[in-house]
Amino acid sequence: MSEFLQHAPSHRAVRVWIRHLVMYRTWFLAEWAGTLTEHALYLLAFGYGLGRFVPDMGGMPYAQFIGPGLVVSIAMWASSYEATYGAYSRMRIQHTYEGMLSAPLTVGDVVVGDLLWCASRSLIGAVLMLIVLAAFGLVGSFWAVAVLPVVFIEGFMFAGLGLIATAVAPSYAFFNFHYSLVVMPMFFFAGTFFPLEGLPDWMQTVSQAMPLTHAVVLSRGLIVHGHAPDAAWHFFMLSAFTLAFLAVACGLVGRRMLD
Amino acid sequence: MSELEFEVDGRGLAKSFGALKAVDGVDLRIRRGECYGILGPNGAGKTTTIKMLCGAAVPDAGTLRVIGIDAVAEGRRAREQMGIVPQESTLDSELTVYENLWVYAGYFGFSRRESRPRIEELLQFFQLREKWDSQIKTLSGGMKRRLLIARALIHRPRLLILDEPTTGLDPQARHLVWNRLRELRRQGLSILLTTHYMEEAAQLCDRIGVMDGGKFLVEGPPLALVRERVGEEVFEFRGVEAEPVLRVLDGLPFEPERMGDTLYLYCKSGAAVMDRLLDSGRRNFLRRPATLEDLFLRLTGRELRE
Ligand SMILES: Nc1ncnc2c1ncn2[C@@H]1O[C@H](COP(=O)(O)OP(=O)(O)O)[C@@H](O)[C@H]1O
Ligand SMILES: [Mg+2]
């Protein structure tokens, strides 16, 4: 308990976020050009290429079906990268965390500031992707903007998960596990590319346990129809995962940073 | 003395890593305005001691107050009062000098505008004013170290803590750092530093503690310690038999020590020894004042540490 209080975050976490923002402007453009192109390609290749051979899915054209899923998966990738490769460099290579902890910041400030930053990057990605969807006429309601707070929480959540991996990673190579065992399965099986209904029971169970699934349902509902089914439940699940990952990440980063 | 008369008041501090006792029951008291040096070979436990003060390591035992604040339970509040200069640079290498400083000032709650005059002042003081817009990776080692010290002073702390502030610097850069630290001490800042450079300790410190194996071996003002533990003068003989030399000096007050091919004689006053040696026709020796290095090597042994 006293350890938890020692790590407790405060408003100073915002200062950590500011530091990451100042750092970011140096490589903003090059990076987003890459990620966005990649996801626009998914939309073109699957939505329109494959979509020509796929009947309507979930009651809508295939491109419209996968578009909202791509919004939340771009968010997942963006914050995961930042919380793994980015945070590893800050934690282990550049001694950034160490510098912050020599000021009156706690482990909680450093972690929350980092996760806020990862979530911000999710948000930037999602906004760009939403613009792409709108350009293709795939946004059905003004209430699509309500997906942005969902994306922010989702980004914060995946950043927490990524930071857990970072805190236990002995080297960059460890992240191969994180991506092939955690991120990729969610990318494919959280309902972005095909409906989960009708899958074998065990696969449905696994899918429901995946955090991304809840973000996909909310995103598709909001972007296509302006409202989502069982929104409160999915929102609750996202929040629960978020708090759990945050608590574990704080504990593990604390153990890593403090002797 | 009351507790508050000590800027740092650590008692019975201990920290183990597995079976290794890195710090093994250390008392550390630093008075206001004092410059205190922890002197010790590699692995002595200096950095671990510093880390406990900074909240980066949790002591296994002991109590630790910094400016009257319990530094273990209230690390954040204690760090508001301390400036911390780590052994390795923690500057943001992609950012400029100015960005590094205002971002760090933000960690103390200062806005960019509030911190600007202080940044001007500090960069002037550390002769870095013209590096305002330079990226960190373009700075020399000496400039980075000065910037690291400047950054630690951004919030006008009462206590400055430096872990090996000049390790790896060339002599010019080192003297500049010493010069600035002396000026800071003159302005009333309390300073705690660790070093394994004897000259650094002798030049800067009012008091030193010699640490080895996680314990303080002796503590006191550097010159007084040397006088008391080593003597005033040292005679060095290289590549000679010890026996004949000692026989010539029989009855005089000195302490001999043999290390490798060298014989050292430590004594309070060298005059009598000198006369006796010259009388016996010996010329191949060196007579010099005792230094902190002699004290250090006598206490920690002359074998190699890595
Ligand atoms: N995090 C750690 N884990 C294990 N051993 C450590 C750790 N930090 C320091 N040590 C060990 O503790 C001893 C003291 O280290 P340190 O305080 O860094 O010494 P110094 O700064 O005097 O060179 C050394 O033997 C070092 O290897
Ligand atoms: Mg050290």
Side-chain angles (χ1 to χ4, degrees), chain A residues 79-91:
Chain A
S79 81
S80 296
Y81 267 121
E82 188 63 39
T84 51
Y85 295 101
Y88 188 90
S89 158
R90 294 192 277 276
M91 193 185 301

Side-chain angles (χ1 to χ4, degrees), chain B residues 42 46-48 87 163-164 194:
Chain B
N42 281 333
K46 305 183 295 295
T47 296
T48 305
Q87 200 169 336
D163 197 4
E164 302 201 9
T194 75

Side-chain angles (χ1 to χ4, degrees), chain A residues 44-195:
Chain A
L44 290 173
F46 288 106
Y48 294 100
L50 188 62
R52 284 190 296 142
F53 305 97
V54 176
D56 278 9
M57 198 170 277
M60 59 190 94
Y62 192 54
Q64 184 153 44
F65 181 83
I66 66 169
L70 290 175
V71 170
V72 285
S73 47
I74 200 175
M76 172 178 71
W77 285 103
S79 81
S80 296
Y81 267 121
E82 188 63 39
T84 51
Y85 295 101
Y88 188 90
S89 158
R90 294 192 277 276
M91 193 185 301
R92 309 288 295 281
I93 306 208
Q94 307 276 346
H95 304 289
T96 314
Y97 280 16
E98 197 186 322
M100 291 171 175
L101 291 172
S102 70
L105 298 180
T106 62
V107 168
D109 293 333
V110 174
V111 168
V112 170
D114 221 296
L115 301 189
L116 283 176
W117 171 242
C118 299
S120 307
R121 301 206 38 201
S122 293
L123 200 58
I124 300 171
V127 167
L128 293 175
M129 195 63 200
L130 211 51
I131 292 172
V132 171
L133 291 190
F136 280 95
L138 299 175
V139 173
S141 161
F142 169 78
W143 285 107
V145 294
V147 79
L148 297 180
V150 172
V151 162
F152 195 80
I153 295 174
E154 179 217 345
F156 195 93
M157 172 186 73
F158 282 122
L161 194 57
L163 204 58
I164 290 171
T166 303
V168 297
S171 71
Y172 279 118
F174 182 83
F175 296 135
N176 291 332
F177 292 111
H178 183 68
Y179 285 97
S180 48
L181 299 180
V182 179
V183 176
M184 283 304 263
M186 280 196 274
F187 182 55
F188 287 119
F189 293 100
T192 295
F193 294 104
F194 45 83

Side-chain angles (χ1 to χ4, degrees), chain A residues 6 8 10 12 15-16 18-19 22-23 25 94-96 98-106 109 257-259, chain B residues 15 51 55-58 72-73 76 79-80 84 90 92-95 99 102-104 106-110:
Chain A
Q6 285 269 298
S10 72
R12 293 259 170 99
R15 303 293 187 157
V16 173
I18 290 175
R19 180 260 168 211
V22 174
M23 194 76 184
R25 37 123 250 236
Q94 307 276 346
H95 304 289
T96 314
E98 197 186 322
M100 291 171 175
L101 291 172
S102 70
L105 298 180
T106 62
D109 293 333
M257 293 309 299
L258 309 178
D259 288 329
Chain B
K15 179 76 191 176
K51 278 187 165 182
V58 184
V72 181
R76 185 204 290 271
R79 287 197 298 281
E80 302 263 10
I84 297 166
T90 58
D92 271 318
S93 56
E94 308 284 323
L95 300 185
E99 285 167 339
W102 76 252
V103 164
Y104 196 78
Y107 301 157
F108 292 84
F110 297 110

